[in-house]
Amino acid sequence: MKAHLLEIRGLTTSFRIGDAYYAAVDDVSLTVNPNEVVAIVGESGSGKSALAFSIMGLHNQAKISGDIDFRGQRLNELSRTALNKLRGREIGMIFQDPLSALNPLMTVGDQIEEALILHRPEMKKSERKSKVLQLLTQVGIQEAERVALNYPHELSGGMRQRIVISIAVANEPQLLIADEPTTALDTTIQLQILDLIRKLKKDIGAGIVLITHDIGVVAEMADRVAVMYAGQIVEMADIHTLLSDPKHPYTRSLLRSKPSDDTPKSRLYSIQGAVPSLSNLPREGCRFRHRIPWIGEAAHEENPQMHELSPGHYVRCSCYRHFWFPGEEDIQHGAS
């Protein structure tokens, strides 16, 4: 059996608020294999980006415990120098906001070249210039020579996102983390970016961690899915199982709130309430129980655990056995 490309065990990432630390990522375990897309899905505030930044070692002031192993190396125990050698070379990241991720005072060509200078010092200047143009072409940018001379503010949002992607894959990393790569882009550009990431997975053979709140993106891209809520993974399965047989009330609620072509005139389902703030997050019992108040307390575990329902399909808490949507009382009672 081959070793995992990335293996996370019991990861907890806590931030200080006032005099106390609060976990934004709470005891998360996850694996990623080469040539696999693992999607992390959930609402804003679920801990998705905090997880991505933990893997990359980009939290400046956070308390981190647990293990983050990448190809046999314990990332969260590496020195800053050793981690910098890995980031950009073996691990790449596509950031959520390309405008803030790019340097406004450098041309985009120089910023792509900088990634090559840092990690491939043996390359000649002429080789780097040629590689920059190749990367721009690879991410679907026409007139690469002209665009390389542009500054970020001179480009559209979709073009800037392509630049961020070209920097992330410049050194053909084995692991690529994409944090909401299609946020704030129109539908046409979103599809182009997703096609590009899919092509890069095929060309490079990289393992990809795709962070998103969009179930539609997950359905298009993922091999496996981890659903996060309030810092915890509440369900994990391969994409076909998750879409055809979701179990956790939160997963089912997310899927039901997605527009469907089958019922175009039906009213969208809205999940009650919102993800609690970090300092107000309930740390005992089922963290989703307050948003499904019609399900009795007895249906929830006092200390919810992950249960393996079938090979590779895990769900947290026993409440999934008792869950139903409002308006389905007759169906639920009839089934019982």
Side-chain angles (χ1 to χ4, degrees):
M1 183 176 178
K2 292 183 178 180
H4 300 296
L5 179 66
L6 177 73
E7 185 171 6
I8 299 170
R9 295 183 299 274
L11 176 65
T12 297
T13 302
S14 304
F15 298 97
R16 185 171 181 170
I17 301 175
D19 295 327
Y21 279 89
Y22 298 89
V25 178
D26 199 348
D27 195 23
V28 165
S29 296
L30 183 72
T31 61
V32 181
N33 299 309
N35 200 33
E36 177 185 44
V37 176
V38 176
I40 314 295
V41 65
E43 296 166 283
S44 296
S46 293
K48 307 185 303 299
S49 292
L51 172 61
F53 275 58
S54 297
I55 297 170
M56 293 295 291
L58 293 176
H59 292 304
N60 290 324
Q61 295 181 331
K63 186 184 292 183
I64 296 178
S65 62
D67 301 329
I68 308 173
D69 291 351
F70 170 71
R71 300 180 69 199
Q73 299 180 81
R74 187 69 43 86
L75 294 183
N76 50 317
E77 293 181 0
L78 290 179
S79 67
R80 180 64 58 184
T81 300
L83 194 55
N84 283 339
K85 288 181 179 179
L86 283 177
R87 289 190 302 219
R89 178 68 189 247
E90 296 186 52
I91 306 175
M93 183 164 182
I94 302 170
F95 292 92
Q96 184 175 153
D97 180 4
L99 193 57
S100 63
L102 296 171
N103 187 334
L105 302 179
M106 293 175 65
T107 66
V108 296
D110 283 346
Q111 295 187 60
I112 299 170
E113 187 178 359
E114 185 178 47
L116 299 172
I117 293 171
L118 287 171
H119 298 288
R120 294 190 181 181
E122 74 283 358
M123 288 184 76
K124 297 177 181 178
K125 185 174 182 178
S126 59
E127 292 175 326
R128 292 198 304 268
K129 296 295 184 184
S130 177
K131 180 69 173 177
V132 167
L133 298 182
Q134 177 191 331
L135 286 163
L136 288 171
T137 302
Q138 185 180 4
V139 297
I141 290 179
Q142 306 296 323
E143 301 182 62
E145 290 187 15
R146 178 184 62 80
V147 173
L149 299 175
N150 287 144
Y151 290 87
H153 72 272
E154 296 177 308
L155 303 175
S156 67
M159 290 279 274
R160 288 193 293 263
Q161 189 62 285
R162 291 168 191 265
I163 300 300
V164 169
I165 293 173
S166 67
I167 294 171
V169 304
N171 294 295
E172 299 187 353
Q174 281 90 34
L175 177 66
L176 182 63
I177 299 173
D179 186 10
E180 299 277 9
T182 59
T183 296
L185 300 178
D186 65 50
T187 304
T188 301
I189 301 299
Q190 283 186 23
L191 292 174
Q192 291 175 358
I193 295 298
L194 294 177
D195 284 342
L196 175 58
I197 293 174
R198 193 181 293 112
K199 182 177 184 298
L200 291 171
K201 173 200 167 190
K202 180 181 177 182
D203 292 347
I204 299 175
I208 298 176
V209 178
L210 177 64
I211 312 289
T212 184
H213 63 274
D214 190 329
I215 290 291
V217 169
V218 171
E220 281 284 320
M221 298 290 295
D223 297 305
R224 286 190 296 126
V225 186
V227 181
M228 279 192 79
Y229 181 76
Q232 296 180 322
I233 291 177
V234 296
E235 187 161 4
M236 191 178 335
D238 67 84
I239 182 62
H240 301 294
T241 299
L242 192 93
L243 293 180
S244 64
D245 191 26
K247 293 297 186 183
H248 195 275
Y250 184 57
T251 308
R252 291 177 60 186
S253 298
L254 285 177
L255 290 171
R256 187 156 181 165
S257 63
K258 178 182 178 293
S260 171
D261 293 334
D262 298 330
T263 53
K265 294 183 180 180
S266 64
R267 187 173 181 179
L268 281 179
Y269 177 74
S270 178
I271 306 175
Q272 287 190 23
V275 181
S277 66
L278 207 53
S279 57
N280 293 322
L281 187 64
R283 302 287 169 175
E284 296 180 356
C286 179
R287 297 185 180 183
F288 193 58
R289 69 186 185 279
H290 300 296
R291 300 181 70 181
I292 48 172
W294 60 93
I295 303 299
E297 285 290 329
H300 303 280
E301 296 174 18
E302 290 184 12
N303 182 25
Q305 302 296 311
M306 291 289 271
H307 306 280
E308 188 171 18
L309 307 184
S310 61
H313 187 185
Y314 298 86
V315 63
R316 187 179 297 276
C317 193
S318 58
C319 61
Y320 75 91
R321 300 192 189 103
H322 311 279
F323 179 71
W324 45 272
F325 289 105
E328 294 182 346
E329 292 91 338
D330 293 339
I331 298 175
Q332 177 72 9
H333 296 153
S336 57

